[in-house]
Amino acid sequence: MRRLSLYLRSLEELERAGVATVSSQELASRGGTTAAQVRKDLSHFGSFGKRGLGYGVPHLAGELRRILGLSRSWRVALVGAGRMGAALFEYPNFRDRGFRIVTVLDQDPEKVGKEWGGIVIRDVEGLESVLREVRAEIAILTVPGEVVQEVVDRVVDAGIRAILNFAPVRLRVPPGVVVNDVNMALELEALSFALARGARGR
Amino acid sequence: MRRLSLYLRSLEELERAGVATVSSQELASRGGTTAAQVRKDLSHFGSFGKRGLGYGVPHLAGELRRILGLSRSWRVALVGAGRMGAALFEYPNFRDRGFRIVTVLDQDPEKVGKEWGGIVIRDVEGLESVLREVRAEIAILTVPGEVVQEVVDRVVDAGIRAILNFAPVRLRVPPGVVVNDVNMALELEALSFALARGARGR
DNA sequence: TACTTTTTGTGAACGTTTTCACAATCCCCT
DNA sequence: AGGGGATTGTGAAAACGTTCACAAAAAGTA
Ligand SMILES: NC(=O)c1ccc[n+]([C@@H]2O[C@H](COP(=O)([O-])OP(=O)(O)OC[C@H]3O[C@@H](n4cnc5c(N)ncnc54)[C@H](O)[C@@H]3O)[C@@H](O)[C@H]2O)c1
Ligand SMILES: NC(=O)c1ccc[n+]([C@@H]2O[C@H](COP(=O)([O-])OP(=O)(O)OC[C@H]3O[C@@H](n4cnc5c(N)ncnc54)[C@H](O)[C@@H]3O)[C@@H](O)[C@H]2O)c1
């Protein structure tokens, strides 16, 4: 359920603003959906509200964090210290939400050994042992599309079961491993489609 | 239809490999879907295949490019010359697919006037006139979440009708303007959810 | 306590998307 | 030229997701 994250984001805003309770109506308008949708989504995981009153903001936020697995922090390995990898590494928002990059790996001898904010870039050569050593649980892959499948096979071998992939390539993984893709080209093409459609009929 | 882009990507691979025709079955397995799905998707826009034979690879690729609006090139404005903006600017894949970044804008006086690969970073102060001057059609926004709504209002004023937003903020736009979000934190949270779910029941 | 107001939780209705199944069509081979 | 094998295009069925509508519950009011 992708919308739970959005609700959590709204709840955190409300928490900071010191609001005590919120109705499904209010959550819906902030999340860009409907009140019935919010209630259905939440009721799927339990009964968190009080009839006539709404949902307790800190309580619901806590429940959502628990459901989403965000009440703990996750150990993340970043493979590919290129431009995209650097942007992600320096982005503070991930760490704030419980995703800690604990190691960075690359193939380029120019980059291996360099230090990024206290973390030394390791050689991808020793990927399996490094990932086990740092007990990484999630891998973010910002390597070129030509090599990403090979890297995937190795991180899966190293025991990783969750992967965030930036290469525009469909990955093959064994059952039990979750892959999410971030495909910006696809989003741009969706815009192109909408503009082209708008310019023609409808 | 988001899947059309995926089919096109497969078709381009097949084109490079010199394959002449492809069946819905083959396209489906490459795109991670089913043969019936591929045929339904395509039949919605016309009848592009030959029964008993499959689809002509170059022909179908051409049709998909036309449908997706990729047979022309689009003029893109990049607002926010930070880390993410820099990674996107240097990424050759977008230009190859017909998205040409024609101007870059930022607020920081340190950055304004600098040159990035032949393009001078302009001051966001003059956003409306710059966007009209370069005839931008799509805006990519890589500015901080605190200011993104203000920037959106201005690019819409400047005539932009398609926006790719990287800030983790829900944008409000008038009807007729399309917004796509790239929300990496959300993708990470989906991984966290899957891992937490896997560790508990099911 | 009884009545009113508010808002949840949820079965049922509705709409959309996916899958199924098969006749129609095309190429190829003899 | 005609039959065989392959694969599309597409209605119909099934699955899935969203919206509706309302009884049940909570809290305030008198
Ligand atoms: N830059 C962008 O804006 C952008 C946008 C969308 C998608 N992507 C995708 O993200 C990925 C990375 O893009 P980028 O722009 O950062 O590229 P980049 O060339 O700047 O970085 C790639 C890095 O991966 C390293 N690398 C290569 N092979 C490796 C291997 N086998 N193991 C470990 N590291 C290896 C390289 O040394 C380099 O540091 C690509 O797949 C690209 O398609 C990038
Ligand atoms: N870096 C990442 O990996 C990452 C990941 C996900 C989302 N994002 C989002 O992308 C956006 C940019 O992130 P970043 O890491 O590049 O930040 P950044 O601070 O490196 O860059 C932001 C840039 O925007 C400019 N800017 C500020 N206000 C502006 C304005 N009003 N008009 C024009 N330019 C302005 C700044 O001068 C700066 O150059 C943020 O919204 C962030 O949440 C970034």
Side-chain angles (χ1 to χ4, degrees):
Chain A
M1 282 293 182
R2 198 59 52 111
R3 284 187 298 264
L4 295 184
S5 290
L6 259 54
Y7 301 151
L8 179 55
R9 193 130 26 242
S10 298
L11 284 167
E12 284 173 343
E13 263 176 43
L14 292 167
E15 234 174 354
R16 277 192 296 276
V19 177
T21 64
V22 65
S23 67
S24 55
Q25 185 55 251
E26 173 71 18
L27 261 185
S29 76
R30 287 170 179 263
T33 175
T34 68
Q37 183 83 77
V38 171
R39 295 202 299 274
K40 254 282 143 66
D41 289 347
L42 296 178
S43 76
H44 198 259
F45 295 95
S47 182
F48 306 126
K50 281 209 170 65
R51 294 176 188 221
L53 250 189
Y55 300 89
V57 170
H59 175 238
L60 184 55
E63 291 287 348
L64 286 182
R65 280 195 204 94
R66 187 181 53 75
I67 292 165
L68 292 170
L70 297 175
S71 43
R72 47 162 298 188
S73 94
W74 296 95
R75 304 173 66 80
V76 178
L78 177 65
V79 188
R83 295 178 294 255
M84 182 55 68
L88 293 175
F89 184 83
E90 292 171 20
Y91 188 55
N93 217 316
F94 293 150
R95 169 173 284 258
D96 295 348
R97 290 200 142 266
F99 298 96
R100 281 176 46 209
I101 295 179
V102 292
T103 186
V104 179
L105 298 103
D106 203 291
Q107 189 177 51
D108 187 347
E110 294 276 309
K111 286 175 180 164
V112 172
K114 281 229 175 93
E115 201 173 306
W116 272 10
I119 290 183
V120 177
I121 300 178
R122 312 276 301 257
D123 193 331
V124 76
E125 181 72 28
L127 183 140
E128 289 86 347
S129 58
V130 171
L131 260 49
R132 289 225 154 83
E133 180 192 311
V134 300
R135 300 194 313 283
E137 297 157 300
I138 296 176
I140 298 182
L141 306 186
T142 52
V143 298
E146 297 78 40
V147 302
V148 68
Q149 183 62 54
E150 179 198 327
V151 172
V152 165
D153 295 343
R154 294 185 64 188
V155 301
V156 169
D157 264 3
I160 296 280
R161 329 231 339 198
I163 294 167
L164 186 63
N165 169 43
F166 282 79
V169 171
R170 175 160 293 267
L171 303 181
R172 281 171 298 104
V173 291
V177 178
V178 193
V179 175
N180 273 345
D181 296 298
V182 176
N183 197 333
M184 299 164 200
L186 209 130
E187 301 299 329
L188 269 180
E189 287 171 24
L191 289 180
S192 161
F193 176 66
L195 286 178
R197 183 119 288 248
R200 291 197 292 264
R202 182 106 47 90
Chain B
M1 283 292 182
R2 198 60 53 110
R3 284 186 299 263
L4 295 184
S5 290
L6 259 55
Y7 301 153
L8 179 55
R9 189 125 35 237
S10 298
L11 285 167
E12 286 173 343
E13 264 176 44
L14 292 166
E15 234 174 356
R16 277 193 296 277
V19 177
T21 64
V22 65
S23 67
S24 56
Q25 185 57 249
E26 173 70 17
L27 261 185
S29 75
R30 287 168 178 266
T33 176
T34 68
Q37 183 83 75
V38 171
R39 296 201 298 274
K40 255 279 143 68
D41 289 346
L42 297 177
S43 76
H44 197 259
F45 295 95
S47 182
F48 307 125
K50 283 208 168 67
R51 293 173 190 226
L53 201 55
Y55 299 90
V57 170
H59 174 239
L60 183 56
E63 291 286 350
L64 285 183
R65 279 196 205 92
R66 187 181 52 75
I67 292 165
L68 292 171
L70 298 176
S71 43
R72 49 162 296 187
S73 93
W74 296 95
R75 305 173 67 80
V76 178
L78 177 66
V79 189
R83 296 178 293 256
M84 182 55 67
L88 294 175
F89 183 82
E90 292 170 22
Y91 188 52
N93 216 315
F94 293 150
R95 169 172 285 257
D96 296 347
R97 292 199 141 267
F99 298 96
R100 282 175 45 209
I101 294 179
V102 291
T103 185
V104 179
L105 298 103
D106 203 292
Q107 188 179 51
D108 187 348
E110 295 276 309
K111 287 176 180 163
V112 171
K114 282 231 174 86
E115 201 173 307
W116 272 9
I119 290 183
V120 176
I121 300 178
R122 314 272 304 251
D123 193 331
V124 75
E125 181 72 26
L127 183 140
E128 288 86 347
S129 58
V130 171
L131 260 48
R132 289 225 153 83
E133 181 191 308
V134 300
R135 302 193 315 282
E137 298 157 301
I138 296 175
I140 298 183
L141 306 187
T142 51
V143 297
E146 297 79 39
V147 300
V148 68
Q149 183 62 54
E150 178 198 326
V151 173
V152 164
D153 295 343
R154 295 184 63 189
V155 300
V156 168
D157 264 2
I160 295 283
R161 327 223 349 188
I163 294 168
L164 187 63
N165 168 44
F166 282 80
V169 171
R170 174 161 294 268
L171 303 180
R172 280 171 298 104
V173 291
V177 177
V178 193
V179 175
N180 274 345
D181 297 297
V182 176
N183 196 332
M184 301 165 200
L186 210 128
E187 301 298 330
L188 270 179
E189 286 171 25
L191 290 179
S192 160
F193 176 66
L195 286 179
R197 181 121 291 245
R200 290 196 291 265
R202 187 107 44 94

